[in-house]
Amino acid sequence: MFYRPDTFAAALRLKADHAAAIKPISGGTDLVVGLNRGQSLGVDVLDLTAAKDYRRIDHADGSLILSGGTTFAQLEQLDIACLARAAASVGGPQIRNRGTIAGNLATASPAGDGSVALLALDAEVELAHADRGTRWLRLIDYFEDYRQTALGDDELISHVRIPTPSALQASAWYKIGKRGAVNISLVCAAAARFLDGRICLAFGSVAPIPMRAVQTEKLLQGQPLTGALLHQAAQAASAEVKPIDDWRASADYRKAMCAVLARRVLEQLQTDDERQMP
Amino acid sequence: MIVSRTLTVNGQSYPVAVAASETLLDVLRDKIALTGTKKGCNVGDCGACLVMVDGQTMNSCLLLATEMEGKSITTIEGIAQNGVLTPLQRAFVQEGGVQCGYCTPGMVLSATALLERNSDPSKEEIKAALAGNLCRCTGYTGIIRSVERCKNYREDGTCAKRDEPAGKPASGNGRPDLGGAAGGSVGGSVGVSVPRVDAVDKVTGRAEYTADLSFQNMVYAKILGSPIAHGRIKKIDTSKARALPGVLDILTADDVPDTMYGVSPARYDEHILAKDKVRHHGDEVAAVAAIDEKTAERAVALIEVEYEELPVVLNPMEAMAEGAPQVHERYERNINTHVDHKFGDVEGGFAQSAHVREEVFTGNTIYQCPMEPHASIAMWDPDGTLVLYSSTQVPHYVQYMMAHVLHMPLGKIRVIRPTVGGGFGGKAETTPLDICAALFSRRLGRPVKMIYSREEMFLHGRGRHKQHMHFKIGVDSEGRIQSFSSKIYLDGGAYSSFGVATAYYAGSVIPTLYKIPAYKYDGYRVMTNKPASGAMRGHGVPQPRFAFECLLNMIADDLGIDPVEIRWRNSIDPNTLTVNEMEVGSCEFRATLEASAKKSNWNEKWGKLPLGKGIGIASGGFVSGAGYCIYRGQVQLSHEKPREPFVKKSIFPHANAIVKISEDGMAAILLIGAAEIGQGSDTVLTQMCAHSLGIPMDRMRIRSEDSDISPLDLGSYSSRVTLMAGHAVSRAGEAVFEKMKPYAARLLDCDEASVTAQNARVFVQGDDSRSVPWEEVARKYFNENGPLVGTGCYKPPDGLGGDYKGSTVGTSPAYSFGTAICEVSVDLETGKIKIDHFTDYHDCGTPINPLAVHGQVEGAVAMGASETIFEDVQFDEKGLLQNHNLHGYLMMSIMDAPEIFSGLVDSYEPRGPFGAKEIGEGSTLPVLGAVAHAIANATGVWIKDLPITPEKVLKALREKKSATAEKVASS
């Protein structure tokens, strides 16, 4: 069966009723690839693209609430540096017109650029069930293991909540890919500094899940970002990540790059701070 | 489950029945017959299938057709209205934005979407908008030029901004001359930048590639590839596949002719389908024909093959070791070809050298990645003629090899080459698709279509040989080469393919650039359990050329000589017989050195750039067509040919043309089997023929696609077409005009010798007031004699090459020369490399079409730069491919492509038509070395192992740092 509900509520109903027997398709940039490679769907399809209320961006209480169906092309337009830049580094324009934030989070690739930026923003994800209602999870608690998340078989990702630019002091993004476009991250890093002084730092492609560098963050809290601290943080980040060797890059290179990227995104935060000074 | 949907495509409603898993791409192509939307990868990596959905660009291979109801879909067919091209489409035609055309629909749509929201995009915005569309031909340069030309187009189609260039022929790609067919440096239609004859078809989606064709009652077939790299086939069980509804026929080795085939006649070592053994991941084992492609794919997956796995061998040095696994029984120690060449006093040369340096370089495994996947469609006429549509760059060799495997005369095989979406050597052999489609079609009595997926293309292989190169050069105190020796191990993969020639090429073309008095080359092409290596752009030479140029630059450094100067001192003179007996004729190598150094401001930059910025130089050149045919003897079924001793002459003409004039004299039809694969041969051949006939190009049509219509040409390889086919077509044109002369002389009342023609007027030489229309003369001829037809042919000169074994490889009527200067930026912390700029000057003789020449250079620079820093087919320890797709195997995107200045130096090759020689492959040769040199200049470390990845750069920098620290500590 191919279900194509025109509201998100209807989609939730279907998902609750069919659970694992129905597979949501939002942008299709992962699922259709599998189909074209001859993998059988094996299950029914729940097409979310007709649900017009699944593409909204709303402001509420100092936060931005993004519907799960928000595309990377929409994210690119946001005034939040790390998310907009991360979104702009995904695929080519035609992938960004299609791929969605819910798809990125549900696929939960360790190299998911959108996931890494959202982690650094300390975003929350809303998982919804037709009967049980919704639950908010911090993204840091959402990713569980390699391509495993807290999302239940009978749930859909309804929203993602991120701080608005007014709650954020600065954010930064840096990606090392092998080429300039349509490019899987070898390592990517995102950092954000909030009004309360808190700094979050996240990395992609260096662990089974998109990861927050929690240990490194501890070093940074409440400290001025001096050259010495940046150096220390870079070393800490490099020690904290758990990359693997694969044909794309060695673990050693990825570790070394985490140090470089940590320093670069943190420096970027600082530059942005200075720019904002009167 | 099938559902009915109504799709709105280009404003028209199409009710269609679609399956839940069917993509919009397949529905557009198969059910609505809009084949302008191309399938390049089917997984969203390449952008060839791009369409607009409600004004937004999307890859149609990732869209399910079921979800498209109610949306407005625009394909390339919906861009031009009522046959009128948009300004953007016109710009693609005129600015060289089109070559093979396979990426063009997606490019045009992406750019259209951009211009609709931003009428004045910056170059960066253009690049960002096209970042998801891959192109392998143009280096993106012509595409960017096309979009830039369209900025601020007014409604009436005129451009508000652009300054139209003056009529002078171009000296560089910055200002292509876009004048009409008449006028130009040579006069007539030669030497002018006319647009491609197939460009309009390609920007509108009208051009039909093999996979776009359908025939009544046609069925589909797919091939099962081996999941392991080396093993014995114990058992094949096809029963489950046979039981699948819709399956029509299955082939295994038992069902196909037991004939070995390949490329080099001395080494036919491929079975049509694997017999007893598989030798690489993807080795073709069995094939299934079914009512549609999806069923064939499913059935292939149901074939059960039991293998006894064998140990694999994955590099040539290990493969040559005693006791290594044998890939084929017939090649002892897996050595497929051994070359042992020595010319001059090599040891003496080194002994008298003031400086000798020896280094080891390693190449990479490169795949051609034409945007169009290989496809074949076979059918049989009732009279027993095989009709084979094939996306090939060598229709004649396909015909020859099909005759060989089917054991039938060449004359009973009709090969049709539809539009081809790039080749670069990857389509220079007969494929299992050609053969299996023909066999299935004979068994089923129906047309059979077969297409490789992108993954299967990589698994079938035939890419560039990875070479392991030990090079040694000795020079005198002023840097003049005294002696050179090389030892090369070529990773051949599992079959011979072109490899015998590759092994010889790796040595033979090196001495055509510099004066090398003594030369030793020891080459081993060795079998490994990888897809077969074959011929790729620059056949065998780019990696050794890279090694040689790097080593020469190192020596220049050692001696404190400027890298431009060391090349100047060693550059070969025109009319030189090299130490290995290659006949170099015209040679403007020094002019390319001088011009590229000047244009790039070399003297202001060399040695003066900050750390992280680098400039580098390398040179290169190539043959203008191979001196000899791939097979020996005449055109005849191989089984019936007597074995004859080799003679140093062409047995038959390598290029042949017929010109047929329409009965009213208003059109000339040029027939020649030269393979247009995107490089532009149809255009330059039309230009040359029009020129020799004395008519403008718009009176010409070319038919090059059908062996029933067009006479033999050996095809598009070894950069042979402009020189060889060019002679054939201009001679055919001259033959026509010779026949017209008596009639013209009568009409003009003059003697035959003084009759000449240009721009469709026949006139008395020196007095153009006495003239008659060209067609009038042609009609007079027809009235009295019937058809006005001329023929022309070309044979390479007799006696090319020396008298030693392998002397034929590298022979050519003429050689090209070129110099490239590359500028890079390197991030010293991440190792990331940005190739900023290229300055390239080439000696291609006198260009027939400067726009086409620059297009070749631009494409070669991007491709060469891409293989230097990005590309490498990766294998795991069991020999399984790791990145056989376009997101794992990375070719340059538009975001990575450098700015390219392409320039040409004045040159005239007496052995070429109108003074022309090659451009297509020679332009690749300087690129790799120039990039490597620029990176070394930027970082202070040489990377001698391709590709030059950020990781290798960083490692080398770290090693240098610790070595320096040790040095400081110890002093």
Side-chain angles (χ1 to χ4, degrees):
Chain A
M1 268 307 278
F2 188 91
Y3 299 98
R4 198 157 185 263
D6 53 10
T7 64
F8 185 64
L12 274 182
R13 182 72 262 153
L14 285 162
K15 188 62 179 155
D17 293 346
H18 296 271
I22 193 170
K23 198 155 186 168
I25 170 168
S26 180
T29 52
D30 288 316
L31 189 134
V32 183
V33 168
L35 279 181
N36 293 348
R37 288 210 167 121
Q39 295 160 12
S40 162
L41 265 181
V43 292
D44 293 336
V45 174
L46 174 57
D47 175 13
L48 298 172
T49 58
K52 295 214 164 42
D53 53 349
Y54 198 49
R55 300 225 146 174
R56 293 165 53 121
I57 299 178
D58 290 312
H59 290 258
D61 309 329
S63 291
L64 270 179
I65 313 279
L66 313 173
S67 291
T70 306
T71 63
F72 286 104
Q74 288 174 287
L75 296 178
E76 269 181 88
Q77 306 302 321
L78 293 178
D79 193 18
I80 297 173
C82 80
L83 187 55
R85 284 185 202 154
S89 76
V90 171
Q94 69 268 33
I95 296 289
R96 302 198 291 275
N97 283 335
R98 188 71 185 147
T100 65
I101 195 67
N104 205 245
L105 292 173
T107 298
S109 160
D113 293 328
S115 305
V116 174
L118 289 173
L119 264 177
L121 292 168
D122 203 15
E124 292 166 297
V125 59
E126 186 191 45
L127 310 181
H129 185 276
D131 304 321
R132 292 198 302 272
T134 63
R135 55 187 178 126
W136 283 98
L137 274 182
R138 285 177 70 206
L139 216 47
I140 194 169
D141 299 321
Y142 167 80
F143 297 108
E144 294 178 341
D145 204 343
Y146 181 66
R147 291 186 185 249
Q148 284 178 26
T149 69
L151 179 66
D153 275 345
D154 52 1
E155 292 177 313
L156 291 173
I157 295 173
S158 45
H159 293 100
V160 173
R161 180 158 68 198
I162 54 177
T164 58
S166 62
L168 251 187
Q169 213 165 29
S171 70
W173 166 258
Y174 206 100
K175 168 171 174 171
I176 297 184
K178 285 203 154 182
R179 69 176 166 194
V182 196
N183 201 2
I184 295 165
S185 286
L186 289 180
V187 185
C188 60
R193 183 209 283 274
F194 299 89
L195 281 178
D196 58 8
R198 204 157 46 96
I199 289 177
C200 290
L201 181 62
F203 291 100
S205 293
V206 291
I209 55 172
M211 68 169 278
R212 277 270 293 275
V214 183
Q215 301 303 321
T216 311
E217 287 177 7
K218 280 183 189 156
L219 283 175
L220 299 165
Q221 302 314 330
Q223 304 289 324
L225 292 178
T226 60
L229 183 63
L230 288 179
H231 181 74
Q232 211 185 336
Q235 299 314 310
S238 179
E240 190 176 354
V241 295
K242 303 271 178 288
I244 53 164
D245 284 313
D246 65 15
W247 58 266
R248 285 199 169 89
S250 71
D252 281 351
Y253 179 74
R254 289 191 163 108
K255 268 180 164 309
M257 287 310 98
C258 282
V260 174
L261 264 50
R263 212 196 58 237
R264 287 192 181 176
V265 289
L266 293 171
E267 275 174 353
Q268 184 69 42
L269 289 184
Q270 206 172 14
T271 327
D272 286 358
D273 284 355
E274 282 160 13
R275 211 179 299 140
Q276 282 162 16
M277 279 198 267
Chain B
M1 187 197 69
I2 305 288
V3 292
S4 63
R5 291 279 186 269
T6 300
L7 302 190
T8 308
V9 185
N10 304 326
Q12 207 170 318
S13 292
Y14 296 90
V16 284
V18 299
S21 61
E22 215 166 349
T23 61
L24 176 62
L25 172 60
D26 286 341
V27 170
L28 286 173
R29 291 177 56 81
D30 301 339
K31 296 193 170 154
I32 305 182
L34 291 173
T35 55
T37 307
K38 303 302 178 196
K39 189 182 275 189
C41 70
N42 212 27
V43 293
D45 294 331
C46 75
C49 69
L50 187 138
V51 297
M52 281 196 246
V53 178
D54 292 336
Q56 286 195 314
T57 58
M58 292 185 185
N59 288 328
S60 61
C61 74
L62 297 182
L63 299 173
L64 294 178
T66 43
E67 46 159 318
M68 287 296 118
E69 187 156 279
K71 300 187 177 178
S72 168
I73 297 156
T74 308
T75 68
I76 188 66
E77 290 90 347
I79 297 297
Q81 295 301 318
N82 303 322
V84 181
L85 301 190
T86 63
L88 180 74
Q89 287 174 312
R90 279 208 301 282
F92 267 76
V93 170
Q94 289 173 317
E95 293 285 359
V98 180
Q99 285 187 28
C100 88
Y102 207 76
C103 76
T104 308
M107 288 286 182
V108 168
L109 284 164
S110 279
T112 300
L114 167 71
L115 291 170
E116 277 175 8
R117 63 173 188 269
N118 178 358
S119 66
D120 187 22
S122 66
K123 192 176 251 187
E124 287 315 305
E125 286 169 328
I126 293 170
K127 287 183 180 180
L130 303 181
N133 296 82
L134 294 176
C135 168
R136 193 59 155 171
C137 297
T138 64
Y140 303 101
T141 315
I143 291 169
I144 294 171
R145 222 164 34 220
S146 304
V147 184
E148 286 194 311
R149 183 187 168 119
C150 276
K151 287 164 55 156
N152 292 306
Y153 252 98
R154 289 192 292 251
E155 282 302 301
D156 62 1
T158 59
C159 181
K161 266 196 175 168
R162 187 185 162 81
D163 299 320
E164 297 293 335
K168 195 177 168 295
S171 64
N173 59 344
R175 296 180 64 224
D177 165 33
L178 292 167
S185 59
V186 186
S189 26
V190 157
V192 244
S193 291
V194 296
R196 298 175 60 97
V197 295
D198 55 5
V200 173
D201 280 348
K202 287 175 173 175
V203 297
T204 54
R206 228 175 66 172
E208 287 191 305
Y209 300 75
T210 304
D212 299 338
L213 302 171
S214 284
F215 296 92
Q216 194 186 39
N217 208 22
M218 187 172 82
V219 298
Y220 297 78
K222 288 297 286 183
I223 296 178
L224 172 69
S226 165
I228 59 172
H230 200 191
R232 237 175 277 289
I233 300 172
K234 308 286 282 183
K235 196 177 141 203
I236 302 180
D237 182 353
T238 59
S239 55
K240 282 184 188 157
R242 225 173 266 283
L244 187 75
V247 168
L248 301 169
D249 195 10
I250 296 181
L251 295 175
T252 66
D254 293 340
D255 311 304
V256 301
D258 190 13
T259 305
M260 307 284 268
Y261 77 105
V263 178
S264 300
R267 310 271 198 293
Y268 287 162
D269 56 11
E270 296 188 56
H271 293 283
I272 296 164
L273 292 167
K275 191 181 175 186
D276 306 327
K277 250 183 102 166
V278 290
R279 295 180 170 86
H280 67 87
H281 180 199
D283 206 354
E284 281 118 333
V285 175
V288 180
I291 49 160
D292 57 43
E293 198 174 23
K294 283 248 157 72
T295 306
E297 275 169 14
R298 272 198 290 277
V300 155
L302 292 173
I303 297 176
E304 291 168 352
V305 187
E306 198 181 305
Y307 297 99
E308 175 197 336
E309 267 197 81
L310 297 170
V312 297
V313 61
L314 298 173
N315 88 54
M317 288 77 77
E318 283 172 18
M320 278 173 67
E322 290 296 338
Q326 281 286 118
V327 182
H328 293 260
E329 289 309 314
R330 64 191 284 192
Y331 304 123
E332 206 181 323
R333 287 171 61 220
N334 289 313
I335 299 170
N336 168 254
T337 306
H338 178 216
V339 188
D340 182 13
H341 279 172
K342 197 172 164 189
F343 310 99
D345 181 5
V346 176
E347 290 75 20
F350 284 122
Q352 73 189 39
S353 293
H355 179 58
V356 176
R357 185 158 175 177
E358 202 172 346
E359 295 284 350
V360 178
F361 299 87
T362 311
N364 40 353
T365 306
I366 301 298
Y367 183 59
Q368 289 91 349
C369 284
M371 293 313 299
E372 181 215 15
H374 303 65
S376 307
I377 303 171
M379 61 199 81
W380 293 77
D381 284 345
D383 69 352
T385 302
L386 168 65
V387 182
L388 178 67
Y389 292 77
S390 180
S391 60
T392 180
Q393 53 192 99
V394 287
H396 173 69
Y397 289 125
V398 170
Q399 188 187 36
Y400 185 82
M401 198 46 58
M402 292 304 292
H404 173 81
V405 297
L406 297 172
H407 216 306
M408 56 193 273
L410 277 81
K412 295 292 276 183
I413 297 169
R414 176 181 175 200
V415 175
I416 300 174
R417 172 202 52 77
T419 311
V420 172
F424 313 108
K427 293 176 182 164
E429 328 181 9
T430 307
T431 64
L433 301 182
D434 296 324
I435 302 170
C436 290
L439 293 172
F440 273 133
S441 176
R442 189 161 62 182
R443 287 158 66 107
L444 295 168
R446 301 170 75 169
V448 177
K449 181 176 190 171
M450 299 184 74
I451 308 169
Y452 274 145
S453 68
R454 182 59 58 178
E455 288 77 8
E456 288 167 340
M457 293 169 74
F458 279 91
L459 292 167
H460 179 66
R462 325 285 151 158
R464 200 185 287 308
H465 286 68
K466 176 180 178 126
Q467 300 188 37
H468 304 259
M469 301 163 284
H470 303 239
F471 274 35
K472 181 177 170 184
I473 298 178
V475 296
D476 69 10
S477 58
E478 289 175 327
R480 290 191 173 82
I481 298 166
Q482 304 300 305
S483 192
F484 167 50
S485 79
S486 66
K487 186 171 195 176
I488 301 180
Y489 301 91
L490 297 97
D491 191 338
Y495 296 104
S496 285
S497 174
F498 273 92
V500 181
T502 319
Y504 283 101
Y505 263 121
S508 63
V509 181
I510 296 294
T512 61
L513 224 54
Y514 304 111
K515 292 171 196 151
I516 298 177
Y519 176 32
K520 178 175 168 24
Y521 167 50
D522 198 12
Y524 298 88
R525 181 184 190 267
V526 187
M527 304 312 250
T528 57
N529 293 114
K530 294 175 176 175
S533 305
M536 180 175 163
R537 201 175 200 172
H539 196 182
V541 194
Q543 292 181 7
R545 175 56 65 197
F546 149 81
F548 191 97
E549 296 296 304
C550 286
L551 188 52
L552 194 62
N553 283 329
M554 292 174 186
I555 288 170
D557 249 12
D558 295 343
L559 299 179
I561 302 171
D562 185 288
V564 179
E565 178 61 27
I566 200 167
R567 285 176 171 73
W568 187 279
R569 287 180 194 172
N570 284 293
S571 57
I572 209 163
D573 296 314
N575 306 313
T576 298
L577 187 67
T578 68
V579 69
N580 59 341
E581 296 179 69
M582 303 294 155
E583 292 177 23
V584 172
S586 67
C587 170
E588 300 297 337
F589 180 25
R590 282 175 209 139
T592 71
L593 281 168
E594 192 175 12
S596 50
K598 185 161 176 250
K599 179 77 187 170
S600 66
N601 293 318
W602 174 267
N603 290 334
E604 284 77 64
K605 291 175 183 163
W606 174 246
K608 296 169 186 137
L609 297 175
L611 201 60
K613 293 269 177 196
I615 187 166
I617 184 171
S619 300
F622 202 60
V623 300
S624 299
Y628 296 90
C629 179
I630 288 176
Y631 60 82
R632 280 190 194 175
Q634 57 191 0
V635 180
Q636 185 181 0
L637 175 58
S638 55
H639 306 272
E640 292 174 353
K641 274 199 268 193
R643 178 89 182 155
E644 282 174 32
F646 173 70
V647 286
K648 283 209 290 181
K649 59 186 283 198
S650 299
I651 305 297
F652 61 89
H654 290 191
N656 301 274
I658 299 172
V659 176
K660 174 173 154 286
I661 308 302
S662 68
E663 289 73 10
D664 69 347
M666 292 300 289
I669 321 301
L670 169 59
L671 314 177
I672 180 164
E676 169 64 78
I677 58 170
Q679 85 281 36
S681 65
D682 273 1
T683 306
V684 295
L685 295 178
T686 303
Q687 282 180 268
M688 286 187 268
C689 190
H691 188 95
S692 63
L693 286 165
I695 58 176
M697 272 185 75
D698 60 12
R699 290 200 183 187
M700 298 271 323
R701 289 196 294 276
I702 181 166
R703 301 294 306 274
S704 58
E705 72 280 8
D706 187 339
S707 66
D708 264 12
I709 296 173
S710 309
L712 181 158
D713 178 88
L714 288 183
S716 290
Y717 69 101
S718 78
S719 288
R720 55 176 295 287
V721 179
T722 299
L723 190 146
M724 297 190 181
H727 271 308
V729 301
S730 53
R731 286 169 186 170
E734 284 160 14
V736 165
F737 194 62
E738 277 306 313
K739 289 183 175 174
M740 289 166 61
K741 274 184 177 172
Y743 299 87
R746 227 177 297 158
L747 287 167
L748 291 166
D749 193 21
C750 66
D751 60 65
E752 285 179 31
S754 56
V755 172
T756 188
Q758 200 178 344
N759 208 16
R761 302 291 300 175
V762 180
F763 55 95
V764 181
Q765 195 132 37
D767 181 6
D768 56 12
S769 66
R770 288 164 68 197
S771 74
V772 285
W774 198 95
E775 60 272 20
E776 187 56 33
V777 184
R779 285 191 288 253
K780 288 280 177 291
Y781 179 94
F782 175 65
N783 294 344
E784 290 190 23
N785 303 284
L788 174 50
V789 172
T791 68
C793 67
Y794 176 79
K795 272 186 180 186
D798 289 349
L800 289 178
D803 289 318
Y804 55 90
K805 186 175 179 234
S807 64
T808 57
V809 181
T811 58
S812 179
Y815 295 85
S816 71
F817 301 88
T819 297
I821 290 177
C822 172
E823 293 167 66
V824 301
S825 304
V826 182
D827 181 330
L828 297 170
E829 285 190 331
T830 64
K832 284 271 285 179
I833 297 153
K834 174 88 182 82
I835 300 178
D836 299 316
H837 194 273
F838 253 90
T839 308
D840 182 289
Y841 273 87
H842 207 79
D843 164 13
C844 68
T846 306
I848 304 300
N849 183 333
L851 181 67
V853 168
H854 294 311
Q856 286 295 298
V857 173
E858 291 156 356
V861 165
M863 183 185 274
S866 184
E867 68 178 271
T868 312
I869 64 169
F870 288 149
E871 299 180 26
D872 200 10
V873 180
Q874 302 271 331
F875 300 85
D876 72 4
E877 70 283 357
K878 297 187 115 183
L880 302 185
L881 274 76
Q882 300 295 294
N883 59 339
H884 46 310
N885 52 57
L886 296 179
H887 59 269
Y889 184 90
L890 300 179
M891 49 197 251
M892 267 191 175
S893 75
I894 198 168
M895 303 301 279
D896 307 288
E899 294 277 322
I900 302 163
F901 177 86
S902 161
L904 301 172
V905 296
D906 279 343
S907 173
Y908 185 88
E909 168 55 53
R911 278 176 167 175
F914 308 100
K917 46 189 183 178
E918 81 88 34
I919 187 68
E921 296 179 80
S923 45
T924 310
L925 285 154
V927 178
L928 288 72
V931 174
H933 189 213
I935 294 169
N937 183 244
T939 60
V941 290
W942 275 101
I943 312 297
K944 298 177 288 179
D945 171 16
L946 295 173
I948 304 177
T949 61
E951 196 164 349
K952 289 178 191 168
V953 169
L954 274 198
K955 189 160 169 266
L957 282 169
R958 261 206 310 271
E959 282 165 4
K960 189 188 176 197
K961 206 169 157 189
S962 59
T964 317
E966 264 172 43
K967 225 166 154 186
V968 171
S970 65
S971 64

